[in-house]
Amino acid sequence: MWRFGHLSVAAVAELFISGIFLLWLHIGSMVHLFTTLYGMIALAKICLVLLILSIIAVFIQAKKYSKRVWWMIEASALLGVLILAGFLISLSPAY
């Protein structure tokens, strides 16, 4: 299980970096990130992913948590990411 944890951290980091790179290709400039609907939803998705990662870090540091609470937080946050991803698919890129 410990080995899988290291692999999952690397996979999440790779997904985050590639997602930021692809966002940059679709947006074109920082101005479009704040002025277009596509950019604002993408920014909300980035913020939600960072929030998820920070919650995970807090739970790992605490080492005292209910598995039920953990699953509820993680499931609802990931559902939010999927909903935002669905909105991004339906919109045209900002360039």
Side-chain angles (χ1 to χ4, degrees):
M1 190 68 165
W2 185 252
R3 188 172 152 199
F4 176 74
H6 290 293
L7 289 174
S8 64
V9 168
V12 168
E14 186 268 330
L15 284 171
F16 188 76
I17 292 168
S18 64
I20 296 294
F21 178 72
L22 286 172
L23 175 65
W24 180 256
L25 289 177
H26 285 284
I27 295 292
S29 74
M30 290 295 286
V31 173
H32 295 297
L33 189 62
F34 299 103
T35 59
T36 63
L37 184 60
Y38 187 90
M40 287 186 278
I41 291 177
L43 189 61
K45 184 178 171 189
I46 291 170
C47 291
L48 187 57
V49 168
L50 289 174
L51 178 68
I52 292 168
L53 293 177
S54 64
I55 288 171
I56 289 171
V58 167
F59 269 86
I60 288 173
Q61 291 294 327
K63 294 183 182 177
K64 291 183 181 180
Y65 53 85
S66 167
K67 287 187 179 185
R68 184 176 209 170
V69 172
W70 170 265
W71 282 106
M72 293 298 283
I73 291 172
E74 189 173 350
S76 60
L78 291 176
L79 181 64
V81 170
L82 288 174
I83 289 170
L84 290 174
F87 282 131
L88 284 177
I89 289 172
S90 67
L91 296 173
S92 61
Y95 58 86

